[in-house]
Amino acid sequence: MNPGKVTLLSAGPGDLDLLTLRAAKALASADVVLLDDLVNPEIVTLAPGARVVRVGKRGGCRSTPQAFIERLLCRYALRGLNVVRVKGGDALLFGRAGEELTALRRAGVAVEIINGISSGFAAAAGLGISLTHRAHCPGVTFITAHRQDGGEPDWAALAATGTTLAVYMGMHRIDGLCASLLAHLRADTPAAVVQWAGSPNERRLLTRLDRLAADAEAAGMASPSVILIGGAIGEADASVATVVPAFLPDDAEAGPRTLSQAA
């Protein structure tokens, strides 16, 4: 029997045009595809000969247990099949790839990793900004607000880095994270929320930290979204917003302005 293998494939944030050629080739040769919820469902058309197993994992929703997914990966691969595990964004960023790599290696299964575009990068592209900017910040910090133990990140330490904060899985905790960050950052720190980044349904909200939670609620912004906070976000022009323009609370009649002007 030929040895099987597992490919951890990063499908990007939604638009199939953002898939790499390497990802498309892997899908074309797949025997089994394990598909996450947040992946564009049309991706299965690129794997015409594969059995598709849906193993969705969504915060706050009924999800396929991680241990069960790992057992499926090992079982199919040990049968000699070419298994492609499809994850949204980049598999190596908040995609539980570490847990799956450990399980597969313990089982003696060969693993290939194919990178993709994380939603944080797609969100920045939609806003027309760079996540790093010499005039504003020394780097970017990717952080999840959804911790396994239910605790909160150290927002004070994160604010002290001076980096752009790209917060994943933070919409259910947006009130708390804004309150925590406001204790350490200026109220007029530029902020944004991008929902369904990199997909045809993308929605963008530009605002500032002290208005972030209220504006996001008013605009109906929900998961899956990326929250971006920091000076570099101020380089976005309000014209890129698709919901609630970035007004200052005291000059709402002045009309949309760039966040760099508003700050």
Side-chain angles (χ1 to χ4, degrees), residues 172-218:
H172 293 299
R173 299 188 176 189
I174 194 168
D175 290 300
L177 75 86
C178 287
S180 297
L181 287 172
L182 280 168
H184 307 282
L185 296 175
R186 289 172 46 134
D188 61 0
T189 300
V193 180
V194 181
Q195 183 179 14
W196 293 108
S199 80
N201 298 319
E202 179 173 305
R203 302 171 71 226
R204 311 178 203 102
L205 163 69
L206 290 171
T207 183
R208 42 187 263 173
L209 184 57
D210 62 346
R211 292 291 310 160
L212 176 57
D215 285 351
E217 180 180 2

Side-chain angles (χ1 to χ4, degrees), residues 20-185:
T20 64
L21 292 175
R22 187 176 174 192
K25 290 177 182 178
L27 287 163
S29 62
D31 297 312
V32 180
V33 170
L34 270 65
L35 193 66
D36 263 1
D37 261 352
L38 294 180
V39 175
N40 185 332
E42 294 181 5
I43 199 170
V44 299
T45 62
L46 301 177
R51 175 185 178 184
V52 177
V53 181
R54 302 184 187 278
V55 289
K57 299 191 74 64
R58 293 284 300 275
C61 302
R62 185 175 180 180
S63 299
T64 307
Q66 183 63 33
F68 178 72
I69 294 173
E70 292 163 12
R71 288 197 298 271
L72 280 181
L73 291 171
C74 294
R75 182 185 307 163
Y76 286 128
L78 291 172
R79 290 178 183 172
L81 299 176
N82 183 11
V83 185
V84 177
R85 169 75 166 109
V86 182
K87 297 170 178 284
D90 189 289
L92 305 186
L93 190 63
F94 308 128
R96 304 197 185 187
E99 298 166 50
E100 293 174 13
L101 286 167
T102 296
L104 292 164
R105 286 166 179 162
R106 284 176 178 170
V109 174
V111 184
E112 177 186 14
I113 299 172
I114 298 179
N115 293 112
I117 297 173
S118 178
S119 56
F121 291 103
L127 293 169
I129 59 170
S130 172
L131 291 173
T132 60
H133 196 297
R134 289 191 299 172
H136 299 290
C137 61
V140 56
T141 300
F142 298 94
I143 183 73
T144 173
H146 182 72
R147 296 180 55 168
Q148 187 174 18
D149 61 6
E152 292 281 338
D154 187 341
W155 295 114
L158 290 166
T161 65
T163 62
T164 301
L165 300 181
V167 185
Y168 290 61
M169 294 169 276
M171 295 305 291
H172 293 299
R173 299 188 176 189
I174 194 168
D175 290 300
L177 75 86
C178 287
S180 297
L181 287 172
L182 280 168
H184 307 282
L185 296 175

